[in-house]
PDB file of all heavy atoms in Angstrom:
ATOM      1  N   SER A 918     -29.179 -39.352 -65.426  1.00  0.00           N
ATOM      2  CA  SER A 918     -28.954 -40.630 -64.827  1.00  0.00           C
ATOM      3  C   SER A 918     -30.003 -41.596 -65.364  1.00  0.00           C
ATOM      4  O   SER A 918     -31.109 -41.332 -65.203  1.00  0.00           O
ATOM      5  CB  SER A 918     -29.228 -40.465 -63.313  1.00  0.00           C
ATOM      6  OG  SER A 918     -28.185 -39.694 -62.679  1.00  0.00           O
ATOM      7  N   PRO A 924     -30.821 -58.101 -65.868  1.00  0.00           N
ATOM      8  CA  PRO A 924     -31.871 -59.159 -66.193  1.00  0.00           C
ATOM      9  C   PRO A 924     -31.761 -60.419 -65.226  1.00  0.00           C
ATOM     10  O   PRO A 924     -32.591 -61.167 -65.235  1.00  0.00           O
ATOM     11  CB  PRO A 924     -31.560 -59.452 -67.578  1.00  0.00           C
ATOM     12  CG  PRO A 924     -30.129 -58.993 -67.915  1.00  0.00           C
ATOM     13  CD  PRO A 924     -29.909 -57.819 -66.960  1.00  0.00           C
ATOM     14  N   SER A 935     -23.907 -41.059 -70.907  1.00  0.00           N
ATOM     15  CA  SER A 935     -22.759 -41.171 -71.565  1.00  0.00           C
ATOM     16  C   SER A 935     -21.979 -42.492 -71.189  1.00  0.00           C
ATOM     17  O   SER A 935     -21.361 -43.134 -72.193  1.00  0.00           O
ATOM     18  CB  SER A 935     -21.727 -40.016 -71.257  1.00  0.00           C
ATOM     19  OG  SER A 935     -21.522 -39.997 -69.879  1.00  0.00           O
ATOM     20  N   LYS A 951     -21.891 -61.045 -65.896  1.00  0.00           N
ATOM     21  CA  LYS A 951     -21.265 -60.147 -67.018  1.00  0.00           C
ATOM     22  C   LYS A 951     -22.522 -59.918 -68.070  1.00  0.00           C
ATOM     23  O   LYS A 951     -23.182 -60.861 -68.477  1.00  0.00           O
ATOM     24  CB  LYS A 951     -20.243 -60.898 -67.824  1.00  0.00           C
ATOM     25  CG  LYS A 951     -19.601 -60.141 -68.874  1.00  0.00           C
ATOM     26  CD  LYS A 951     -18.347 -60.795 -69.475  1.00  0.00           C
ATOM     27  CE  LYS A 951     -17.765 -59.877 -70.548  1.00  0.00           C
ATOM     28  NZ  LYS A 951     -16.524 -60.638 -71.091  1.00  0.00           N
ATOM     29  N   LYS A 959     -29.443 -50.405 -76.239  1.00  0.00           N
ATOM     30  CA  LYS A 959     -29.114 -49.008 -75.888  1.00  0.00           C
ATOM     31  C   LYS A 959     -30.190 -48.081 -76.438  1.00  0.00           C
ATOM     32  O   LYS A 959     -30.680 -47.076 -75.781  1.00  0.00           O
ATOM     33  CB  LYS A 959     -27.727 -48.668 -76.420  1.00  0.00           C
ATOM     34  CG  LYS A 959     -26.565 -49.295 -75.722  1.00  0.00           C
ATOM     35  CD  LYS A 959     -25.299 -48.837 -76.334  1.00  0.00           C
ATOM     36  CE  LYS A 959     -24.143 -49.663 -75.671  1.00  0.00           C
ATOM     37  NZ  LYS A 959     -22.819 -49.109 -76.151  1.00  0.00           N
ATOM     38  N   ALA A 961     -33.313 -48.742 -76.974  1.00  0.00           N
ATOM     39  CA  ALA A 961     -34.559 -48.909 -76.224  1.00  0.00           C
ATOM     40  C   ALA A 961     -34.363 -48.206 -74.959  1.00  0.00           C
ATOM     41  O   ALA A 961     -35.316 -47.533 -74.456  1.00  0.00           O
ATOM     42  CB  ALA A 961     -34.841 -50.378 -76.074  1.00  0.00           C
ATOM     43  N   LEU A 962     -33.148 -48.213 -74.253  1.00  0.00           N
ATOM     44  CA  LEU A 962     -32.958 -47.632 -72.980  1.00  0.00           C
ATOM     45  C   LEU A 962     -33.141 -46.189 -73.071  1.00  0.00           C
ATOM     46  O   LEU A 962     -33.830 -45.474 -72.346  1.00  0.00           O
ATOM     47  CB  LEU A 962     -31.544 -48.070 -72.487  1.00  0.00           C
ATOM     48  CG  LEU A 962     -31.082 -47.364 -71.218  1.00  0.00           C
ATOM     49  CD1 LEU A 962     -31.933 -47.841 -70.001  1.00  0.00           C
ATOM     50  CD2 LEU A 962     -29.675 -47.622 -70.956  1.00  0.00           C
ATOM     51  N   LYS A 967     -36.002 -40.964 -72.647  1.00  0.00           N
ATOM     52  CA  LYS A 967     -36.366 -39.750 -73.262  1.00  0.00           C
ATOM     53  C   LYS A 967     -37.898 -39.471 -73.155  1.00  0.00           C
ATOM     54  O   LYS A 967     -38.255 -38.297 -72.835  1.00  0.00           O
ATOM     55  CB  LYS A 967     -35.997 -39.768 -74.771  1.00  0.00           C
ATOM     56  CG  LYS A 967     -36.208 -38.486 -75.423  1.00  0.00           C
ATOM     57  CD  LYS A 967     -35.813 -38.508 -76.845  1.00  0.00           C
ATOM     58  CE  LYS A 967     -35.995 -37.120 -77.520  1.00  0.00           C
ATOM     59  NZ  LYS A 967     -35.216 -36.812 -78.582  1.00  0.00           N
ATOM     60  N   ALA A 973     -43.781 -37.572 -72.183  1.00  0.00           N
ATOM     61  CA  ALA A 973     -44.564 -38.264 -73.073  1.00  0.00           C
ATOM     62  C   ALA A 973     -45.028 -39.691 -72.516  1.00  0.00           C
ATOM     63  O   ALA A 973     -44.261 -40.291 -71.787  1.00  0.00           O
ATOM     64  CB  ALA A 973     -43.835 -38.395 -74.431  1.00  0.00           C
TER      65      ALA A 973
END
Side-chain angles (χ1 to χ4, degrees):
S918 293
S935 59
K951 186 175 182 179
K959 289 179 186 186
L962 175 68
K967 185 173 180 162

